[in-house]
Amino acid sequence: MDSIKGKFHITNFLPCLVSSRRSDVLMMTPWFAPIVWDGTYNIDILNAHFQQRNVCIGLTVFAIKKYTVFVQTFIETAEKYFMVGHKVNYYVFTDRVTDIPIMELAEGRQMRVLRVPAYQRWQDVSMRRMEMLRDYSYQQFRGEVDYLVCVDVDMRFSDEVGVEILSDLFGTLHPGMCGAKREHYTYERNPQSEAYIPFDEGDFYYAGGYFGGNIEEIYKLTNFCHNAMMADKDKNIEAIWHDESYLNKYFLYHKPTKVLSPEYLWDNGFGIPKFLKRQRFVAVPKNHNEIRN
Ligand code: 2GW
Ligand code: MN
């Protein structure tokens, strides 16, 4: 009777389990990590799960020199959309402590301003984030939060980002590179570099501006990236996309346990393709001349 529709046939499951699927996008990596898209998860189940564990989530950003101008919008929009209903610690790394606005936060949410040095070269400003994240993971984050979400500051939240993203180690598909052929990924191609990835390797191209995981995993990731950058520096090499290149190298041999779709890191300069049902975290347009000099 049930010869074709066996016990595990999809029609035997509850509608809410079956509806958590998308047929237009890749939903799982070949190593069985979920790729998080709108319509692929049940947020009520996940909220209950993480609430029960009473998790605290750390959100880290760097606002060095003129990038302090981005902090207000970043935090305001995070208050509205980031992990609402869960415990959140914002960690703002800056060299200009007095430029960071004092903001009123919802209950269960706190902000810590961490004073750090400002490197002269912008490439170093970007890359040294790895070293500082490593050091603070060990010294401070370990005792304060369960997960870290590490992002660029020139961004605003414009839709929900919740516990569906949490996993031991996660990366995000780069909005400009999803759908590109592997050989066109802008990995570092110099074999002398610690970030080198050959043309016939690599799964996805991950964005430098959005990764996370538990503290232990973020410690390992940032430690690897920083050490690789220092080894290259000794050889007078710098990878093509700085920290992003080293991050991609790390993820090649340490597969993320979850991958976030570009919903989680979008730039409206790319338009809004059909598969993109939500833009949860988008780049704030910036006047490069004014802000970077
Ligand atoms: C200054 C001049 C030029 C470039 C960056 C900066 C700068 C960056 C700065 O003066 N102050 C500062 O705090 N930053 C921090 O570095 C800030 O958190 C910013 O979001 C982050 C990355 O710089 P950003 O956002 O200007 O560069 P994007 O959006 O092109 O970043 C992508 O590529 C980078 C590597 O080149 C990183 O991998 C980054 O994560 C990517 O999103
Ligand atoms: Mn950015």
Side-chain angles (χ1 to χ4, degrees):
M1 302 158 284
D2 265 350
S3 54
I4 296 173
K5 293 191 176 174
K7 269 195 179 153
F8 287 97
H9 192 271
I10 193 131
T11 52
N12 288 358
F13 292 91
L14 287 167
C16 87
L17 298 175
V18 177
S19 67
S20 298
R21 284 153 40 104
R22 288 269 297 261
S23 55
D24 59 332
V25 290
L26 188 67
M27 273 181 54
M28 203 195 286
T29 69
W31 58 93
F32 291 137
I35 306 177
V36 187
W37 296 92
D38 181 55
T40 63
Y41 57 89
N42 182 318
I43 194 62
D44 300 326
I45 296 175
L46 287 163
N47 273 331
H49 171 73
F50 283 96
Q51 213 95 65
Q52 191 168 34
R53 287 175 50 194
N54 196 23
V55 292
C56 185
I57 302 115
L59 180 61
T60 72
V61 277
F62 287 74
I64 308 292
K65 298 182 230 179
K66 292 185 186 169
Y67 275 53
T68 51
V69 297
F70 294 109
V71 172
Q72 176 121 15
T73 300
F74 179 90
I75 301 286
E76 270 172 14
T77 58
E79 283 290 290
K80 211 164 155 203
Y81 294 116
F82 183 78
M83 302 287 172
V84 173
H86 297 272
K87 288 202 286 179
V88 171
N89 283 8
Y90 299 108
Y91 296 106
V92 180
F93 293 79
T94 187
D95 59 320
R96 300 184 178 179
V97 172
T98 53
D99 286 5
I100 304 300
I102 294 165
M103 301 175 64
E104 211 184 301
L105 306 175
E107 205 192 319
R109 305 171 77 100
Q110 317 176 36
M111 181 153 122
R112 303 272 161 85
V113 179
L114 308 169
R115 185 194 298 274
V116 292
Y119 286 88
Q120 268 203 334
R121 293 174 65 242
W122 71 263
Q123 295 89 340
D124 291 322
V125 169
S126 187
M127 291 195 293
R128 288 284 175 165
R129 292 184 292 175
M130 293 294 184
E131 181 184 27
M132 298 185 225
L133 287 171
R134 177 195 66 182
D135 294 345
Y136 278 86
S137 291
Y138 189 78
Q139 295 161 15
Q140 183 170 353
F141 302 153
R142 217 155 43 116
E144 295 184 354
V145 291
D146 304 296
Y147 292 96
L148 282 177
V149 181
C150 309
V151 298
D152 271 15
V153 74
D154 55 341
M155 304 291 298
R156 66 185 307 144
F157 290 88
S158 57
D159 203 343
E160 291 155 353
V161 173
V163 294
E164 75 278 3
I165 70 170
L166 299 179
S167 193
D168 288 343
L169 180 64
F170 59 89
T172 306
L173 301 179
H174 193 292
M177 212 66 77
C178 57
K181 289 216 178 77
R182 169 153 81 182
E183 37 317 350
H184 297 148
Y185 289 168
T186 53
Y187 293 146
E188 175 55 54
R189 301 302 190 179
N190 172 5
Q192 306 309 313
S193 170
E194 302 288 328
Y196 171 61
I197 298 178
F199 284 97
D200 60 352
E201 287 186 54
D203 311 298
F204 300 108
Y205 189 83
Y206 301 97
Y210 203 133
F211 60 88
N214 67 38
I215 312 305
E216 167 101 31
E217 290 298 333
I218 294 305
Y219 177 86
K220 289 194 273 185
L221 178 156
T222 51
N223 187 45
F224 168 89
C225 290
H226 177 63
N227 289 342
M229 289 186 292
M230 290 300 105
D232 272 3
K233 191 175 154 78
D234 284 345
K235 292 183 273 186
N236 250 312
I237 297 175
E238 194 167 82
I240 175 164
W241 288 109
H242 319 105
D243 41 293
E244 186 169 85
S245 306
Y246 299 91
L247 179 73
N248 272 277
K249 179 68 177 265
Y250 186 78
F251 279 149
L252 174 55
Y253 300 117
H254 306 82
K255 303 295 192 205
T257 53
K258 225 177 230 187
V259 173
L260 308 186
S261 72
E263 292 170 13
Y264 291 90
L265 179 49
W266 193 251
D267 187 326
N268 285 326
F270 297 118
I272 302 176
K274 190 104 201 296
F275 62 79
L276 199 79
K277 307 294 183 207
R278 303 171 88 167
Q279 297 124 270
R280 303 170 191 263
F281 188 54
V282 298
V284 173
K286 54 184 183 281
N287 180 332
H288 285 240
N289 265 337
E290 208 168 278
I291 198 81
R292 288 185 163 180
N293 299 312

